[in-house]
Amino acid sequence: MMTTMAILLGLGATSSVAAWPSSCPDYEAVSTPEAQHLDPDIYVQGFWYEIYSANVFLTKGCQCTRYNMTRTSPTTFSDVFTCHKDAPNGSVTTLPNHGSFPAEQPGKMVESLGPVSPPYWVLKTYNATPATYDAALVYACVGAAGFTSEYVYLFSRAPTLPSAIEADMRAHLHQHNISQDAILAVPMAGCDWM
């Protein structure tokens, strides 16, 4: 019988699973020092747009996907997920999530989805100035029911992602043997985020 975590994250649903690695990597081995020690005052504030993802089954058919993060304490945050299902003007799905991170390594986040708290690991950040994060590569590897599964997210502060940053993110994934097979573009054309 599958656990609640497996059901929530879609383990066994091949359309949402990026790969079946034999085990999850260590965070420090797949992330940059800058991402490990990101500034939560900057990262955990405002909107992040999901430009590409190898995502969970609950978000299948999502378009115009974004997350609104708000710091709620020194080591916690809220993260409201919003997407339009199957069309830019389709029904709106909203999921209020919350998360946390260790003060000594804020890039190694977890995000709670009901009774479970899967990883939300920031692997690499991109910033035009020290006071901004323009894009982020985020990863989760989750084990349940004897399986492990990878999830990958290419985030941007805007509804587009510069091709050079996308290429660098994909190179980072390749360098660390993280599968890109299930990564799909999230449709953004015609989105209205009112």
Side-chain angles (χ1 to χ4, degrees):
M1 187 161 112
M2 294 190 108
T3 65
T4 303
M5 179 184 291
I7 293 167
L8 282 171
L9 294 175
L11 293 177
T14 56
S15 63
S16 66
V17 175
W20 296 101
S22 58
S23 64
C24 294
D26 292 327
Y27 175 60
E28 294 78 8
V30 294
S31 59
T32 66
E34 294 80 15
Q36 295 168 24
H37 303 286
L38 60 78
D39 184 340
D41 286 330
I42 299 170
Y43 187 90
V44 188
Q45 292 296 334
F47 290 105
W48 283 104
Y49 296 86
E50 184 180 309
I51 308 302
Y52 292 92
S53 67
N55 218 331
V56 299
F57 81 101
L58 291 173
T59 60
K60 185 171 176 61
C62 274
Q63 298 184 26
C64 310
T65 303
R66 72 177 183 177
Y67 301 76
N68 188 7
M69 299 184 87
T70 305
R71 184 113 173 249
T72 55
S73 83
T75 58
T76 63
F77 59 92
S78 68
D79 188 4
V80 179
F81 166 89
T82 304
C83 85
H84 296 246
K85 284 289 198 154
D86 301 315
N89 58 356
S91 64
V92 177
T93 298
T94 302
L95 299 172
N97 301 308
H98 62 279
S100 63
F101 50 86
E104 67 280 1
Q105 198 172 50
K108 191 177 184 179
M109 301 178 187
V110 296
E111 189 168 75
S112 296
L113 304 167
V116 297
S117 296
Y120 175 109
W121 291 355
V122 181
L123 300 188
K124 193 165 185 180
T125 57
Y126 300 81
N127 52 313
T129 70
T132 63
Y133 292 117
D134 299 319
L137 177 60
V138 175
Y139 170 78
C141 184
V142 180
F147 296 99
T148 55
S149 186
E150 295 180 305
Y151 302 86
V152 179
Y153 305 89
L154 283 64
F155 288 144
S156 177
R157 290 291 191 185
T160 59
L161 184 65
S163 58
I165 291 177
E166 179 190 346
D168 188 81
M169 288 177 170
R170 289 181 180 275
H172 185 89
L173 294 171
H174 179 75
Q175 176 184 357
H176 296 286
N177 298 314
I178 297 172
S179 177
Q180 301 179 51
D181 293 346
I183 295 176
L184 301 173
V186 177
M188 293 286 177
C191 297
D192 181 359
W193 288 280
M194 294 178 57

Coordinates of all heavy atoms in Angstrom, one line a residue, residues 87-163:
A87 N -5.9 25.8 -19.3 CA -6.1 26.9 -20.2 C -5.7 28.2 -19.3 O -5.8 28.2 -18.1 CB -7.5 27.1 -20.7
P88 N -5.1 29.2 -20.0 CA -4.8 30.4 -19.3 C -5.9 31.0 -18.5 O -5.7 31.7 -17.5 CB -4.3 31.4 -20.4 CG -3.9 30.5 -21.5 CD -4.8 29.3 -21.4
N89 N -7.1 30.8 -19.0 CA -8.3 31.4 -18.3 C -9.1 30.2 -17.6 O -10.3 30.4 -17.3 CB -9.2 32.2 -19.2 CG -9.7 31.4 -20.4 OD1 -9.3 30.2 -20.6 ND2 -10.5 32.0 -21.2
G90 N -8.5 29.1 -17.5 CA -9.2 27.9 -16.9 C -9.4 28.1 -15.4 O -9.1 29.1 -14.8
S91 N -9.9 27.0 -14.8 CA -10.2 27.0 -13.4 C -8.9 27.2 -12.6 O -7.8 26.8 -13.0 CB -10.9 25.8 -12.9 OG -10.0 24.6 -13.1
V92 N -8.9 28.0 -11.5 CA -7.7 28.3 -10.8 C -7.6 27.3 -9.6 O -8.6 27.0 -8.9 CB -7.8 29.7 -10.2 CG1 -6.6 30.0 -9.3 CG2 -7.9 30.7 -11.4
T93 N -6.4 26.7 -9.5 CA -6.1 25.8 -8.4 C -5.1 26.6 -7.5 O -4.1 27.1 -7.9 CB -5.4 24.6 -8.9 OG1 -6.3 23.9 -9.7 CG2 -5.0 23.7 -7.7
T94 N -5.5 26.6 -6.2 CA -4.6 27.3 -5.2 C -4.3 26.3 -4.1 O -5.3 25.7 -3.5 CB -5.3 28.6 -4.7 OG1 -5.6 29.5 -5.8 CG2 -4.4 29.3 -3.7
L95 N -3.1 26.2 -3.7 CA -2.7 25.3 -2.6 C -1.8 26.1 -1.6 O -0.7 26.5 -2.0 CB -1.9 24.1 -3.1 CG -2.6 23.2 -4.1 CD1 -1.6 22.2 -4.6 CD2 -3.8 22.5 -3.4
P96 N -2.3 26.4 -0.4 CA -1.5 27.1 0.6 C -0.5 26.1 1.2 O -1.0 25.1 1.9 CB -2.5 27.6 1.6 CG -3.7 26.7 1.4 CD -3.7 26.1 0.0
N97 N 0.7 26.3 1.1 CA 1.8 25.4 1.6 C 2.6 26.2 2.7 O 2.5 27.5 2.7 CB 2.7 24.9 0.6 CG 2.0 24.1 -0.5 OD1 1.2 23.2 -0.2 ND2 2.2 24.5 -1.7
H98 N 3.3 25.5 3.5 CA 4.3 26.2 4.3 C 5.5 25.4 4.4 O 5.5 24.2 4.1 CB 3.7 26.4 5.7 CG 3.3 25.2 6.5 ND1 2.1 24.5 6.2 CD2 4.0 24.5 7.4 CE1 2.1 23.4 7.0 NE2 3.2 23.4 7.7
G99 N 6.6 26.0 4.7 CA 7.9 25.4 4.7 C 8.8 25.9 5.8 O 8.5 26.8 6.5
S100 N 10.0 25.3 5.8 CA 11.0 25.7 6.8 C 12.4 25.4 6.2 O 12.5 24.7 5.2 CB 10.8 25.0 8.1 OG 11.0 23.6 8.0
F101 N 13.4 25.9 6.9 CA 14.8 25.7 6.5 C 15.7 25.8 7.7 O 15.4 26.5 8.7 CB 15.2 26.7 5.4 CG 15.0 28.1 5.8 CD1 15.9 28.8 6.5 CD2 13.8 28.7 5.3 CE1 15.6 30.2 6.8 CE2 13.5 30.0 5.7 CZ 14.4 30.8 6.4
P102 N 16.8 25.1 7.7 CA 17.8 25.2 8.8 C 18.5 26.6 8.7 O 18.9 27.0 7.6 CB 18.7 24.1 8.6 CG 18.6 23.7 7.2 CD 17.2 24.1 6.8
A103 N 18.6 27.3 9.8 CA 19.2 28.6 9.8 C 20.6 28.6 9.2 O 21.1 29.5 8.6 CB 19.2 29.2 11.2
E104 N 21.4 27.5 9.5 CA 22.8 27.4 9.0 C 22.9 27.0 7.6 O 24.0 27.1 7.0 CB 23.6 26.4 9.9 CG 23.1 25.0 9.8 CD 21.9 24.6 10.6 OE1 21.3 25.4 11.2 OE2 21.5 23.4 10.5
Q105 N 21.8 26.6 6.9 CA 21.8 26.2 5.5 C 20.5 26.4 4.9 O 19.7 25.5 4.6 CB 22.3 24.7 5.4 CG 22.8 24.3 4.1 CD 23.3 22.9 4.1 OE1 22.7 22.0 4.6 NE2 24.5 22.8 3.5
P106 N 20.1 27.7 4.7 CA 18.7 28.0 4.3 C 18.3 27.5 3.0 O 17.1 27.4 2.7 CB 18.6 29.5 4.4 CG 20.0 30.0 4.5 CD 20.9 28.9 5.0
G107 N 19.2 27.1 2.1 CA 18.8 26.6 0.8 C 18.3 25.1 0.9 O 17.7 24.7 -0.1
K108 N 18.5 24.5 2.0 CA 18.0 23.1 2.2 C 16.6 23.1 2.8 O 16.4 22.7 4.0 CB 19.0 22.3 3.0 CG 18.7 20.8 3.0 CD 19.8 20.1 3.8 CE 19.6 18.6 3.8 NZ 20.7 17.9 4.5
M109 N 15.7 23.6 2.1 CA 14.3 23.8 2.6 C 13.5 22.5 2.5 O 13.8 21.5 1.8 CB 13.6 24.8 1.7 CG 14.3 26.2 1.7 SD 13.4 27.4 0.7 CE 14.6 28.7 0.7
V110 N 12.4 22.5 3.3 CA 11.4 21.5 3.1 C 10.1 22.3 3.0 O 9.9 23.4 3.5 CB 11.3 20.5 4.3 CG1 12.5 19.7 4.4 CG2 11.0 21.2 5.6
E111 N 9.1 21.7 2.3 CA 7.8 22.3 2.1 C 6.7 21.3 2.5 O 6.7 20.2 2.0 CB 7.7 22.8 0.7 CG 6.5 23.7 0.5 CD 6.5 24.4 -0.8 OE1 6.2 23.8 -1.8 OE2 6.7 25.7 -0.8
S112 N 5.8 21.8 3.3 CA 4.8 20.8 3.8 C 3.6 20.8 2.9 O 3.1 21.9 2.5 CB 4.4 21.3 5.2 OG 5.4 21.1 6.1
L113 N 3.2 19.6 2.5 CA 2.0 19.3 1.7 C 1.1 18.5 2.6 O 1.2 17.3 2.6 CB 2.4 18.6 0.4 CG 3.4 19.3 -0.4 CD1 3.9 18.3 -1.5 CD2 2.8 20.5 -1.1
G114 N 0.3 19.1 3.4 CA -0.5 18.4 4.3 C 0.3 17.7 5.4 O 1.2 18.4 6.0
P115 N 0.2 16.4 5.5 CA 1.0 15.7 6.6 C 2.4 15.4 6.3 O 3.1 14.9 7.2 CB 0.2 14.4 6.8 CG -0.4 14.1 5.4 CD -0.7 15.5 4.8
V116 N 2.9 15.7 5.1 CA 4.3 15.3 4.8 C 5.1 16.6 4.4 O 4.5 17.6 4.1 CB 4.3 14.4 3.5 CG1 3.7 13.1 3.9 CG2 3.7 15.0 2.3
S117 N 6.4 16.5 4.6 CA 7.3 17.7 4.3 C 8.4 17.2 3.4 O 9.5 16.9 3.9 CB 7.8 18.2 5.6 OG 6.8 18.8 6.4
P118 N 8.2 17.2 2.1 CA 9.2 16.7 1.2 C 10.3 17.8 1.0 O 10.0 19.0 1.3 CB 8.5 16.5 -0.1 CG 7.3 17.3 0.0 CD 6.9 17.4 1.4
P119 N 11.5 17.5 0.5 CA 12.5 18.4 0.3 C 12.1 19.5 -0.7 O 11.3 19.2 -1.6 CB 13.7 17.6 -0.2 CG 13.3 16.2 0.1 CD 11.9 16.1 0.2
Y120 N 12.7 20.7 -0.5 CA 12.6 21.8 -1.5 C 14.0 22.3 -1.5 O 14.3 23.3 -0.8 CB 11.6 22.8 -1.0 CG 11.5 24.1 -1.9 CD1 10.4 24.3 -2.7 CD2 12.5 25.0 -1.8 CE1 10.3 25.5 -3.4 CE2 12.4 26.2 -2.6 CZ 11.3 26.4 -3.4 OH 11.2 27.6 -4.1
W121 N 14.9 21.7 -2.2 CA 16.3 22.0 -2.2 C 16.6 23.0 -3.3 O 16.4 22.7 -4.5 CB 17.2 20.8 -2.4 CG 17.2 19.8 -1.3 CD1 16.6 20.0 -0.1 CD2 17.8 18.6 -1.3 NE1 16.8 18.8 0.7 CE2 17.6 18.0 -0.1 CE3 18.6 17.9 -2.3 CZ2 18.1 16.7 0.3 CZ3 19.1 16.6 -1.9 CH2 18.8 16.1 -0.7
V122 N 17.2 24.2 -3.0 CA 17.6 25.1 -4.0 C 19.0 24.7 -4.3 O 20.0 24.7 -3.5 CB 17.6 26.6 -3.4 CG1 18.1 27.6 -4.5 CG2 16.2 26.9 -2.9
L123 N 19.2 24.3 -5.6 CA 20.5 23.8 -6.1 C 21.4 24.9 -6.6 O 22.6 24.9 -6.4 CB 20.3 22.8 -7.2 CG 19.5 21.6 -6.9 CD1 19.6 20.6 -8.1 CD2 20.0 20.9 -5.6
K124 N 20.8 26.0 -7.2 CA 21.6 27.0 -7.8 C 20.7 28.3 -7.9 O 19.5 28.2 -8.2 CB 22.2 26.6 -9.1 CG 23.2 27.5 -9.7 CD 24.0 26.9 -10.8 CE 25.1 27.9 -11.2 NZ 25.9 27.3 -12.3
T125 N 21.3 29.4 -7.6 CA 20.6 30.7 -7.8 C 21.3 31.6 -8.8 O 22.5 31.4 -9.1 CB 20.5 31.4 -6.4 OG1 21.8 31.7 -5.9 CG2 19.7 30.7 -5.4
Y126 N 20.5 32.5 -9.4 CA 21.0 33.4 -10.4 C 20.6 34.8 -10.0 O 19.4 35.0 -9.7 CB 20.5 33.0 -11.7 CG 20.9 31.6 -12.2 CD1 20.2 30.5 -11.7 CD2 21.9 31.4 -13.0 CE1 20.5 29.3 -12.0 CE2 22.3 30.1 -13.4 CZ 21.6 29.1 -12.9 OH 22.0 27.8 -13.2
N127 N 21.5 35.7 -9.9 CA 21.2 37.1 -9.5 C 21.9 38.1 -10.3 O 23.1 38.0 -10.6 CB 21.4 37.3 -8.0 CG 22.8 36.9 -7.5 OD1 23.3 35.9 -7.9 ND2 23.4 37.8 -6.8
A128 N 21.1 39.2 -10.7 CA 21.7 40.3 -11.4 C 22.5 41.2 -10.5 O 23.5 41.8 -10.9 CB 20.6 41.1 -12.1
T129 N 22.0 41.3 -9.2 CA 22.7 42.1 -8.2 C 22.7 41.3 -6.9 O 21.9 40.4 -6.8 CB 21.9 43.4 -8.0 OG1 20.7 43.2 -7.3 CG2 21.7 44.2 -9.3
P130 N 23.5 41.7 -6.0 CA 23.5 40.9 -4.7 C 22.2 41.0 -4.0 O 21.9 40.1 -3.1 CB 24.6 41.6 -3.9 CG 25.5 42.2 -4.9 CD 24.6 42.6 -6.0
A131 N 21.3 41.9 -4.3 CA 20.0 42.1 -3.6 C 18.9 41.4 -4.3 O 17.7 41.6 -3.9 CB 19.8 43.6 -3.4
T132 N 19.1 40.6 -5.3 CA 18.0 39.9 -6.0 C 18.4 38.5 -6.3 O 19.6 38.2 -6.4 CB 17.7 40.6 -7.3 OG1 18.9 40.5 -8.2 CG2 17.3 42.1 -7.2
Y133 N 17.4 37.7 -6.5 CA 17.5 36.4 -7.1 C 16.6 36.4 -8.3 O 15.4 36.5 -8.1 CB 17.1 35.2 -6.1 CG 18.1 35.1 -5.0 CD1 17.7 35.2 -3.7 CD2 19.4 34.7 -5.2 CE1 18.6 35.1 -2.6 CE2 20.3 34.5 -4.2 CZ 19.9 34.7 -2.9 OH 20.7 34.5 -1.8
D134 N 17.1 36.3 -9.5 CA 16.3 36.4 -10.7 C 15.8 35.0 -11.1 O 14.8 34.9 -11.8 CB 17.1 37.0 -11.8 CG 17.6 38.4 -11.5 OD1 16.8 39.2 -11.0 OD2 18.7 38.7 -11.8
A135 N 16.5 33.9 -10.8 CA 16.1 32.6 -11.1 C 16.7 31.6 -10.1 O 17.7 31.9 -9.4 CB 16.6 32.3 -12.5
A136 N 16.1 30.4 -10.1 CA 16.6 29.4 -9.2 C 16.3 28.0 -9.7 O 15.2 27.8 -10.3 CB 15.9 29.6 -7.8
L137 N 17.2 27.1 -9.5 CA 17.0 25.7 -9.8 C 16.7 25.0 -8.5 O 17.5 25.0 -7.6 CB 18.3 25.2 -10.5 CG 18.3 23.7 -10.8 CD1 17.2 23.3 -11.8 CD2 19.7 23.3 -11.3
V138 N 15.5 24.3 -8.5 CA 15.0 23.7 -7.3 C 14.8 22.2 -7.6 O 14.4 21.8 -8.7 CB 13.7 24.4 -6.8 CG1 13.1 23.6 -5.6 CG2 14.0 25.8 -6.4
Y139 N 15.0 21.4 -6.6 CA 15.1 19.9 -6.7 C 14.5 19.2 -5.5 O 14.7 19.7 -4.4 CB 16.5 19.5 -7.0 CG 16.8 18.0 -6.9 CD1 16.5 17.2 -8.0 CD2 17.4 17.4 -5.8 CE1 16.8 15.8 -8.0 CE2 17.7 16.1 -5.8 CZ 17.4 15.3 -6.9 OH 17.7 13.9 -6.9
A140 N 13.8 18.1 -5.7 CA 13.4 17.3 -4.6 C 13.7 15.8 -5.0 O 13.4 15.4 -6.1 CB 11.9 17.5 -4.3
C141 N 14.1 15.1 -4.0 CA 14.3 13.6 -4.2 C 13.5 13.0 -3.0 O 13.9 13.3 -1.9 CB 15.7 13.2 -4.3 SG 15.9 11.4 -4.6
V142 N 12.6 12.2 -3.3 CA 11.7 11.7 -2.2 C 11.7 10.2 -2.3 O 11.6 9.6 -3.4 CB 10.3 12.2 -2.4 CG1 9.3 11.7 -1.4 CG2 10.3 13.7 -2.4
G143 N 11.7 9.6 -1.1 CA 11.6 8.1 -1.0 C 10.4 7.7 -0.3 O 10.0 8.3 0.7
A144 N 9.7 6.7 -0.9 CA 8.5 6.1 -0.2 C 8.2 4.8 -0.8 O 8.5 4.5 -2.0 CB 7.3 7.0 -0.5
A145 N 7.7 3.9 0.0 CA 7.3 2.5 -0.5 C 8.4 1.8 -1.2 O 8.1 1.1 -2.2 CB 6.0 2.7 -1.4
G146 N 9.7 2.1 -0.8 CA 10.8 1.4 -1.4 C 11.3 2.0 -2.7 O 12.1 1.4 -3.4
F147 N 10.8 3.1 -3.1 CA 11.2 3.8 -4.4 C 11.7 5.2 -4.0 O 11.4 5.8 -3.0 CB 10.0 4.0 -5.3 CG 9.4 2.6 -5.8 CD1 8.3 2.1 -5.2 CD2 10.1 2.0 -6.9 CE1 7.8 0.9 -5.7 CE2 9.5 0.8 -7.3 CZ 8.4 0.2 -6.7
T148 N 12.5 5.8 -4.9 CA 12.8 7.2 -4.9 C 12.4 7.8 -6.2 O 12.4 7.2 -7.2 CB 14.4 7.4 -4.6 OG1 15.1 6.7 -5.6 CG2 14.8 6.9 -3.2
S149 N 12.1 9.1 -6.1 CA 11.7 9.8 -7.2 C 12.2 11.3 -7.2 O 12.3 11.9 -6.1 CB 10.2 9.8 -7.3 OG 9.7 10.4 -8.5
E150 N 12.6 11.8 -8.4 CA 13.2 13.1 -8.5 C 12.1 14.1 -9.1 O 11.4 13.7 -10.0 CB 14.4 13.1 -9.4 CG 15.6 12.3 -8.8 CD 16.8 12.4 -9.7 OE1 16.6 12.0 -10.9 OE2 17.8 12.8 -9.3
Y151 N 12.2 15.3 -8.6 CA 11.3 16.4 -9.1 C 12.2 17.6 -9.3 O 13.1 17.9 -8.5 CB 10.2 16.7 -8.1 CG 9.3 15.5 -7.9 CD1 9.7 14.6 -6.9 CD2 8.2 15.2 -8.6 CE1 8.9 13.4 -6.7 CE2 7.5 14.1 -8.4 CZ 7.8 13.2 -7.5 OH 7.1 12.1 -7.3
V152 N 12.1 18.3 -10.5 CA 12.9 19.4 -10.8 C 12.1 20.6 -11.2 O 11.1 20.4 -11.9 CB 13.8 19.0 -12.0 CG1 14.7 20.1 -12.4 CG2 14.7 17.7 -11.7
Y153 N 12.5 21.8 -10.8 CA 11.8 23.0 -11.1 C 12.8 24.1 -11.5 O 13.8 24.3 -10.9 CB 11.0 23.5 -9.8 CG 10.1 22.5 -9.3 CD1 10.6 21.6 -8.3 CD2 8.8 22.4 -9.7 CE1 9.7 20.6 -7.8 CE2 7.9 21.4 -9.2 CZ 8.4 20.5 -8.3 OH 7.6 19.5 -7.8
L154 N 12.5 24.7 -12.6 CA 13.3 25.9 -13.1 C 12.4 27.1 -12.9 O 11.4 27.3 -13.6 CB 13.6 25.7 -14.6 CG 14.8 24.7 -14.9 CD1 14.4 23.3 -14.6 CD2 15.1 24.8 -16.4
F155 N 12.8 27.9 -11.9 CA 12.0 29.1 -11.5 C 12.6 30.4 -12.0 O 13.8 30.5 -12.1 CB 11.9 29.1 -9.9 CG 11.0 28.1 -9.3 CD1 11.4 27.5 -8.1 CD2 9.9 27.7 -9.9 CE1 10.6 26.6 -7.5 CE2 9.1 26.7 -9.3 CZ 9.4 26.2 -8.1
S156 N 11.7 31.3 -12.1 CA 12.2 32.7 -12.5 C 11.3 33.7 -11.8 O 10.1 33.4 -11.5 CB 12.0 32.9 -14.0 OG 12.4 34.2 -14.4
R157 N 11.8 34.9 -11.6 CA 11.0 36.0 -11.0 C 10.1 36.6 -12.0 O 9.2 37.3 -11.7 CB 11.9 37.0 -10.4 CG 12.7 36.6 -9.2 CD 11.7 36.5 -8.0 NE 12.5 36.3 -6.7 CZ 12.0 36.1 -5.6 NH1 10.7 35.9 -5.4 NH2 12.8 36.0 -4.5
A158 N 10.3 36.3 -13.3 CA 9.4 36.7 -14.4 C 8.8 35.5 -15.1 O 9.3 34.4 -14.9 CB 10.3 37.6 -15.4
P159 N 7.8 35.7 -15.9 CA 7.2 34.6 -16.6 C 8.0 34.0 -17.7 O 7.5 33.2 -18.5 CB 5.8 35.1 -17.0 CG 5.7 36.5 -16.5 CD 7.0 36.9 -16.0
T160 N 9.2 34.4 -17.8 CA 10.1 33.9 -18.9 C 11.4 33.6 -18.2 O 11.7 34.1 -17.1 CB 10.4 34.9 -20.0 OG1 10.9 36.1 -19.4 CG2 9.1 35.3 -20.7
L161 N 12.3 32.8 -18.9 CA 13.6 32.4 -18.4 C 14.6 32.6 -19.5 O 14.4 32.0 -20.5 CB 13.6 31.0 -17.9 CG 14.8 30.4 -17.2 CD1 15.1 31.1 -15.9 CD2 14.7 28.9 -17.0
P162 N 15.6 33.5 -19.3 CA 16.6 33.6 -20.3 C 17.2 32.3 -20.7 O 17.5 31.5 -19.9 CB 17.6 34.6 -19.7 CG 16.9 35.3 -18.6 CD 15.9 34.3 -18.1
S163 N 17.4 32.1 -22.0 CA 18.0 30.9 -22.6 C 19.3 30.5 -22.0 O 19.6 29.3 -21.8 CB 18.0 30.9 -24.1 OG 18.8 32.0 -24.5

